[in-house]
Amino acid sequence: MDAVQKADSGHPGTPMALAPLAYVLWTKHLRYNPANPGWLNRDRFVLSAGHASMLLYSVLYLTGYDLTLDDLKQFRQWESKTPGHPELGYTPGVETTTGPLGQGIGNAVGMAVGEAHLSAVFNRDQKIIDHNVYFIASDGDMMEGVSHEAASFAGHLKLGKLIGFYDDNHITIEGDTALTFSDDTATRFSAYGWHVQHVADVNDLSALNRAIDAAKAETSRPSLIVVRSHIGYGSPNKHDTAEAHGSALGPEEVALTKKALGYPSQEPFYVAPEALQYWREAAKRRAKFEDDWKKTYDAYKAENTGLEKELQRRLSGELPSGWEETIPVFTAKDGNVASRAASGIVINAIAKKIPELLGGSADLASSTNTIIKGEPSFSAENYAGRNFHFGIREHGMGSIMNGMSLTGAMIPYGATFLIFSDYMRPPVRLACIMKRHVIYVYTHDSIGLGEDGPTHQPVEQLSALRAIPDMTLIRPADASETAEAWRAALKHKNCHSSTERSTRRRVDCHAEPTYWQMRPGVRRTWF
């Protein structure tokens, strides 16, 4: 309440309502280490309801991440470590950039995909990759179409390490959800193949604990816990109202709420010393999981030296030596092929040398030529597979790719027709914001598609993609340029150091996304 009030903008209601859930998760269930936020086998947490960012910032401060009370006082201010919605690279402990509703669910699904794939590839007698992915979603997340696409994908693949919380608070900006929303969300997720539970009152900590324990025990299906909460909980006049959603409560209401909740001080940003001590001690207990994991990892390293070195290479982002020599050289004799056909040849040549390259298409692999021959498909029966079938879910594909990239040790690619880039623009834009190393292959770039008509003829899509900041766009004219496009896509990095961009508080660097179109017969190729 205090942070939103000081900023005079933001969303206090959901953080107030979900404080009990955050308490239970961070003190009793999540495995994390504030001293090492990037620990490989940490549990991942995604706040898909990114407008509730003060909930996340509060617990990151309380558990001892590199955040201070002064940082909380700078909530929503320019270049602060506590932006209005969580942003990767600004705040230690934030796993992904969320805000556009539904994207966090897709990211979490992608992270669960990443966990499943890496564990299948690298685990041996010792399970060095064995963690859960948690997310919190709002009514708005559940209304957005991308959440449906991603949830369907996750249920089909039986991603048992994925645990979500649906904050069923019945309130959106315009008022009660009954205005627009009467879905039976629990039944819908059950139909997707999820394990679904209900907690009737978010303040029932014992019920929350039991539900989370049951979700962790269910390893053959993703889990959704539907939690009934009350937005603005504790506020005498804003409880269960739309007014609590997206604006400060006001000084008088903040004071009344603290009094109603029995809070020990009216001083802004007051944290009781005994409470802070309790949270910090809880964090130390959770961090001990890393100590135990290090022993497992040491044993793994001793017994699997080559495999461990390969994992570290992939995590570092360093490509294997000699990979460029595998890129085909096309001649006048064999290069007179469509650029998408040439791309398929290149993919299959370099994939043998770059095992972290994996991906697929939105049900168009035979047209986009994105299958890695001789490799199995990623499926519930084989998480080690490298060929992905995203289904007719372009939007979901993009957000899932972002989550896979955020897991690390993978370079995902996804393909569809250029016209359908419109369906996946939000995660493409977020990939650029986060500078993720993901690759999009868009084919059928021509108004000359003819019989398919104007619905399939891209006209403005190239300009729309060019307009996205930090996107590298390559448009090869022939087979040779297609081969060079793949070389550029795999090598390209775009990092900003503190000296280059002194006002940015980025804590790490990432490769930026690459896009190209497969279009034969175009003379100019680089934009």
Side-chain angles (χ1 to χ4, degrees):
M1 290 186 293
D2 288 336
V4 175
Q5 190 60 49
K6 186 175 187 301
D8 198 24
S9 70
H11 302 75
T14 298
M16 294 165 67
L18 294 183
L21 174 57
Y23 167 80
V24 168
L25 271 177
W26 263 267
T27 62
K28 300 184 184 302
H29 293 280
L30 282 175
R31 295 181 295 180
Y32 60 93
N33 183 0
N36 184 17
W39 166 39
L40 174 61
N41 201 43
R42 69 193 181 279
D43 286 338
R44 270 62 166 183
F45 173 80
V46 176
L47 185 63
S48 192
H51 56 276
S53 56
M54 266 311 303
L55 176 72
L56 180 54
Y57 300 149
S58 296
V59 295
L60 292 176
Y61 161 70
L62 290 168
T63 50
Y65 282 81
D66 185 19
L67 277 180
T68 66
L69 275 177
D70 285 338
D71 291 320
L72 300 189
K73 293 175 183 178
Q74 292 299 306
F75 178 54
R76 294 174 72 90
Q77 303 310 300
W78 178 250
E79 294 296 350
S80 76
K81 294 171 73 172
T82 51
H85 291 76
E87 293 186 43
L88 181 73
Y90 278 82
T91 317
V94 168
E95 300 282 1
T96 181
T97 296
T98 54
L101 292 176
Q103 292 300 322
I105 296 179
N107 290 172
V109 171
M111 291 177 188
V113 166
E115 192 279 343
H117 179 74
L118 294 180
S119 63
V121 171
F122 288 102
N123 284 353
R124 292 298 182 264
D125 292 337
Q126 304 85 1
K127 291 186 177 181
I128 58 167
I129 298 171
D130 182 19
H131 57 263
N132 293 318
V133 179
Y134 297 85
F135 68 85
I136 290 178
S138 62
D139 291 301
D141 287 287
M142 293 305 181
M143 293 186 204
E144 290 286 0
V146 65
S147 68
H148 299 240
E149 295 182 23
S152 173
F153 185 80
H156 176 72
L157 288 168
K158 306 183 189 306
L159 298 173
K161 298 293 185 67
L162 179 63
I163 300 172
F165 300 90
Y166 165 36
D167 175 29
D168 183 23
N169 67 27
H170 296 194
I171 294 293
T172 60
I173 292 174
E174 294 184 1
D176 194 291
T177 52
L179 287 167
T180 62
F181 189 60
S182 54
D183 293 14
D184 186 340
T185 301
T187 299
R188 174 157 60 86
F189 272 73
S190 294
Y192 289 148
W194 287 55
H195 171 234
V196 179
Q197 302 176 81
H198 291 266
V199 174
D201 181 6
V202 72
N203 297 293
D204 187 341
L205 304 187
S206 296
L208 282 175
N209 271 308
R210 289 193 300 271
I212 297 170
D213 283 336
K216 290 192 293 187
E218 173 55 70
T219 58
S220 62
R221 294 176 290 172
S223 290
L224 182 73
I225 302 173
V226 181
V227 180
R228 180 69 171 103
S229 75
H230 296 273
I231 198 166
Y233 181 82
S235 170
N237 300 300
K238 301 291 182 71
H239 177 102
D240 271 344
T241 68
E243 287 79 12
H245 172 81
S247 59
L249 298 181
E252 293 182 2
E253 192 65 19
V254 170
L256 289 172
T257 304
K258 289 180 179 180
K259 183 178 179 180
L261 291 172
Y263 204 66
S265 174
Q266 287 287 344
E267 178 187 349
F269 296 93
Y270 175 80
V271 180
E274 61 270 29
L276 184 60
Q277 181 181 355
Y278 179 90
W279 278 90
R280 296 288 166 90
E281 289 177 353
K284 289 178 182 178
R285 292 194 298 271
R286 309 316 297 168
K288 287 181 180 179
F289 284 101
E290 183 181 9
D291 295 333
D292 296 336
W293 175 83
K294 285 178 178 177
K295 297 174 185 176
T296 301
Y297 191 85
D298 288 342
Y300 174 86
K301 184 176 181 179
E303 296 180 19
N304 305 277
T305 303
L307 203 58
E308 191 271 340
K309 287 182 178 179
E310 172 65 10
L311 173 61
Q312 290 301 324
R313 179 195 66 77
R314 289 173 60 167
L315 288 169
S316 73
E318 179 185 349
L319 294 170
S321 60
W323 73 271
E324 290 187 75
E325 282 71 26
T326 67
I327 298 176
V329 176
F330 294 96
T331 65
K333 182 178 180 180
D334 62 14
N336 189 24
V337 295
S339 50
R340 58 191 168 106
S343 175
I345 294 169
V346 176
I347 288 173
N348 278 276
I350 61 179
K352 297 185 178 85
K353 192 70 175 180
I354 307 177
E356 61 266 43
L357 183 67
L358 70 173
S361 76
D363 196 55
L364 291 168
S366 60
S367 296
T368 57
N369 294 80
T370 45
I371 288 289
I372 302 175
K373 296 175 183 177
E375 289 285 344
S377 295
F378 181 89
S379 68
E381 294 72 39
N382 186 359
Y383 290 137
R386 295 170 65 190
N387 285 309
F388 278 72
H389 305 279
F390 290 103
I392 306 159
R393 305 182 181 102
E394 286 88 356
H395 199 171
M397 176 175 74
S399 62
I400 290 165
M401 287 169 62
N402 285 347
M404 293 166 64
S405 173
L406 288 160
T407 301
M410 288 173 286
I411 304 174
Y413 63 85
T416 188
F417 294 173
L418 175 61
I419 191 68
F420 302 132
S421 64
D422 288 345
Y423 278 148
M424 59 187 298
R425 183 180 173 90
V428 171
R429 182 174 184 270
L430 285 170
C432 292
I433 288 174
M434 294 189 285
K435 302 193 184 302
R436 302 315 306 161
H437 196 182
V438 296
I439 299 170
Y440 311 106
V441 182
Y442 294 139
T443 69
H444 295 71
D445 164 23
S446 175
I447 59 171
L449 289 172
E451 292 86 348
D452 280 330
T455 62
H456 282 55
Q457 294 170 348
V459 176
E460 75 280 8
Q461 280 66 33
L462 179 60
S463 296
L465 288 166
R466 282 177 179 160
I468 301 176
D470 284 332
M471 168 164 275
T472 299
L473 190 151
I474 308 172
R475 201 181 192 198
D478 56 24
S480 294
E481 291 187 353
T482 300
E484 288 304 309
W486 270 104
R487 187 197 309 271
L490 288 163
K491 292 178 68 174
H492 186 62
K493 305 282 184 180
N494 183 19
C495 295
H496 301 282
S497 70
S498 58
T499 55
E500 293 169 332
R501 207 171 182 181
S502 59
T503 61
R504 305 296 274 184
R505 299 181 99 172
R506 296 287 181 189
V507 296
D508 58 355
C509 291
H510 310 285
E512 71 178 19
T514 305
Y515 150 78
W516 67 81
Q517 295 169 267
M518 298 304 168
R519 182 184 183 190
V522 179
R523 284 305 307 160
R524 192 64 265 153
T525 59
W526 298 87
F527 297 86

